[in-house]
Amino acid sequence: MSYTSTVGGERHRFDSLARLLAAASPERSGDRLAGLAAGSAQERVAARWALAEVPLTAFLAEPVIPYETDDVTRLIMDTHDPASFTPVAGMTVGEFREWLLSEAVDATTLAAVAPGLTPEMVAAVSKLMGNADLVAVARKVRVVTAFRSTIGLPGRLATRLQPNHPTDDPAGVAAALLDGLLLGSGDAVIGINPATDSPKAVRDLLELLDGVIQRYAIPTQSCVLCHVTTSVGLMERGAPVDLVFQSIAGTQAANASFGVTLPLLDEAYEAALALDRGTVGQNVMYFETGQGAALSADAHHGVDQQTVEARAYAVARRYRPLLVNTVVGFIGPEYLYDGRQILRAALEDHFCGKLLGLPMGLDICYTNHADADDDDVATMLTMLGVAGASFVICTPGGDDIMLNYQSASYHDALYLREVLGLRAAPEFEAWLESMGLLDERGAIRDVSDTAGAHPLTAIGRELAA
């Protein structure tokens, strides 16, 4: 089916829904690289005019990637809930935008309609929204998940404590871990990107983290971000796996490039549930995504990178994850060129994931060859905090020395909690108070004057030994 609109006396024609979505997308280097971006600002405006008139039902009738050739498309179509879709079934994309922004639509309404929305629908409406619109709607959505801590409650902002080390050295991991805990980080997860995916190295890190969590009774969960097959093998051998991690994408071919299939994820999900390691909930999966992943694997099928990214969220919601985050600037300037494009992508990803019912967080980051800096991180962090992000990733000093990229720091999370009046997950907050790390205002207490005396400082000494 083709779509047309006229702008400035010039008629524009788009040969397919996928082409229309791509042309309507805000400017980004990845779509330009793929030859999918609008040829001019005028064409982009024309595409948005045409997209606003498309019925939401068109996305059910015209998959952007054929049903017969892609298992993610089959997942999207086969799990679509017509009853949940009913309140918006008669709307166009433009009318859907106005409905989302209306005061009558609240968290309860959005939770009810989420199973009836497809990724392409939410990607489409995001293309008609300004940054403030994306913040305003995402802020309404409430997605709550739990394992040993509860993520996504109103007025809360959780953090992933990321104590990576280039050689997985226990003393180095311990230093970053101690730094984060003393600064109130780690309630979403203590998650390490291992330097190697070998089962022994991963198990050593899992046991290290589990030992700290158990000894200090920390109400959080650990995750070593290895391939899902490594996690499955380690669970079979009794390793202390809390969350199963996997990077995922929005097409079957892109997931294949990660060595992942839906049946494999099914197996891992069931294995993690069977361990029954959660205390306040059993959301056992952790997924990471990022715009450009499918394009970098030549597995995007001519679909723009933001729409493909939204399709990854259909894969994620199949498994009721504890955490999902977009590593928004990590893939590089070939896909998101500068701070402005990274910010826009962060807001889009968060908005789309939340509308689809996911507990969305972000690694607010950039690589050193991107046109971005720490001020861009601060801007993104603030806007995503206002938008109600479930969690953010934090690294020591905002500099990951293993992955060689820039992210938010433990101090950045404290800034965001202070200026927006946000708090840690309730179980973790109670633990911080029991450990004497909160002052009378509920803020993190400075323990520098008692260095060596606080019980947590033993972590470093023990692991170094």
Side-chain angles (χ1 to χ4, degrees):
M1 182 173 178
S2 63
Y3 303 85
T4 61
S5 67
T6 302
V7 174
E10 182 178 353
R11 184 175 176 84
H12 297 264
R13 183 174 182 273
F14 307 94
D15 293 334
S16 67
L17 194 49
R19 175 66 195 131
L20 179 64
L21 288 166
S25 292
E27 173 72 19
R28 64 204 62 205
S29 52
D31 288 341
R32 184 71 59 193
L33 177 68
L36 299 173
S40 66
Q42 181 173 314
E43 184 184 12
R44 183 172 292 111
V45 170
R48 290 176 181 173
W49 275 111
L51 183 59
E53 299 300 319
V54 173
L56 292 180
T57 52
F59 296 97
L60 300 174
E62 185 183 348
V64 296
I65 300 173
Y67 182 95
E68 297 76 15
T69 60
D70 186 85
D71 64 3
V72 177
T73 298
R74 292 194 290 274
L75 173 64
I76 291 167
M77 296 300 180
D78 294 349
T79 60
H80 178 255
D81 184 345
S84 299
F85 185 54
T86 299
V88 298
M91 296 181 187
T92 65
V93 177
E95 290 167 341
F96 183 42
R97 174 188 180 274
E98 299 307 308
W99 182 80
L100 289 170
L101 288 165
S102 67
E103 292 184 4
V105 173
D106 59 13
T108 301
T109 307
L110 292 172
V113 80
L117 301 178
T118 70
E120 292 84 356
M121 292 175 192
V122 299
V125 76
S126 76
K127 298 175 193 297
L128 304 185
M129 291 182 153
N131 287 359
D133 299 332
L134 297 174
V135 170
V137 175
R139 185 174 176 81
K140 297 181 184 184
V141 183
R142 188 61 54 195
V143 181
V144 179
T145 57
F147 189 78
R148 293 195 192 103
S149 58
T150 306
I151 311 300
L153 293 169
R156 306 280 177 169
L157 173 74
T159 58
R160 170 183 159 188
L161 195 168
Q162 184 168 296
N164 292 347
H165 190 274
T167 63
D168 295 334
D169 176 65
V173 170
L177 176 58
L178 175 60
D179 188 23
L181 291 173
L182 290 175
L183 290 169
S185 188
D187 46 343
V189 64
I190 302 174
I192 298 177
N193 297 88
T196 171
D197 203 55
S198 77
K200 181 184 184 307
V202 171
R203 182 163 192 152
D204 287 346
L205 290 172
L206 284 169
E207 292 178 346
L208 182 158
L209 294 181
D210 188 62
V212 170
I213 288 172
Q214 298 302 325
R215 172 160 186 174
Y216 295 95
I218 307 173
T220 190
Q221 34 285 330
S222 68
C223 186
V224 177
L225 282 65
C226 58
H227 193 268
V228 64
T229 53
T230 303
S231 293
V232 169
L234 288 171
M235 285 188 285
E236 291 173 348
R237 295 192 289 276
V241 175
D242 288 342
L243 304 182
V244 172
F245 168 83
Q246 184 55 50
S247 294
I248 55 173
T251 71
Q252 180 176 343
N255 283 323
S257 75
F258 292 145
V260 175
T261 64
L262 296 182
L264 178 57
L265 292 175
D266 291 344
E267 178 187 353
Y269 176 57
E270 295 300 329
L273 281 177
L275 295 180
D276 194 27
R277 290 174 61 84
T279 55
V280 296
Q282 287 296 325
N283 298 111
V284 297
M285 303 296 279
Y286 175 19
F287 295 114
E288 281 191 345
T289 68
Q291 286 194 30
L295 175 57
S296 68
D298 194 24
H300 60 294
H301 300 284
V303 179
D304 69 273
Q305 67 181 38
Q306 189 252 334
T307 300
V308 173
E309 167 71 7
R311 285 168 54 92
Y313 305 150
V315 177
R317 71 175 173 179
R318 174 182 175 92
Y319 304 101
R320 301 186 300 114
L322 179 75
L323 307 168
V324 179
N325 71 258
T326 166
V327 191
V328 68
F330 182 74
I331 199 166
E334 299 86 353
Y335 305 95
L336 296 168
Y337 180 73
D338 55 17
R340 179 177 62 83
Q341 290 189 12
I342 296 172
L343 170 61
R344 175 68 192 191
L347 295 173
E348 290 169 347
D349 294 352
H350 178 255
F351 165 90
C352 290
K354 290 282 284 291
L355 272 191
L356 292 170
L358 291 175
M360 286 301 294
L362 296 99
D363 192 348
I364 298 171
C365 61
Y366 63 93
T367 56
N368 289 316
H369 61 310
D371 186 8
D373 58 25
D374 287 347
D375 286 337
D376 292 306
V377 170
T379 300
M380 285 186 269
L381 190 71
T382 304
M383 292 195 72
L384 269 300
V386 175
S390 294
F391 71 104
V392 295
I393 291 179
C394 298
T395 61
D399 182 9
D400 191 302
I401 60 172
M402 196 275 279
L403 295 175
N404 290 312
Y405 77 114
Q406 309 305 306
S407 185
S409 71
Y410 306 138
H411 296 85
D412 289 331
L414 292 181
Y415 145 77
L416 196 59
R417 283 174 176 164
E418 179 177 351
V419 298
L420 297 181
L422 301 171
R423 297 155 59 190
E427 302 87 353
F428 195 79
E429 182 180 56
W431 177 79
L432 290 171
E433 186 171 12
S434 73
M435 296 296 291
L437 290 174
L438 298 183
D439 63 20
E440 60 280 357
R441 300 180 299 111
I444 292 295
R445 184 188 304 277
D446 182 5
V447 297
S448 60
D449 58 342
T450 59
H454 193 278
L456 285 179
T457 60
I459 294 173
R461 294 194 297 273
E462 290 169 3
L463 294 182

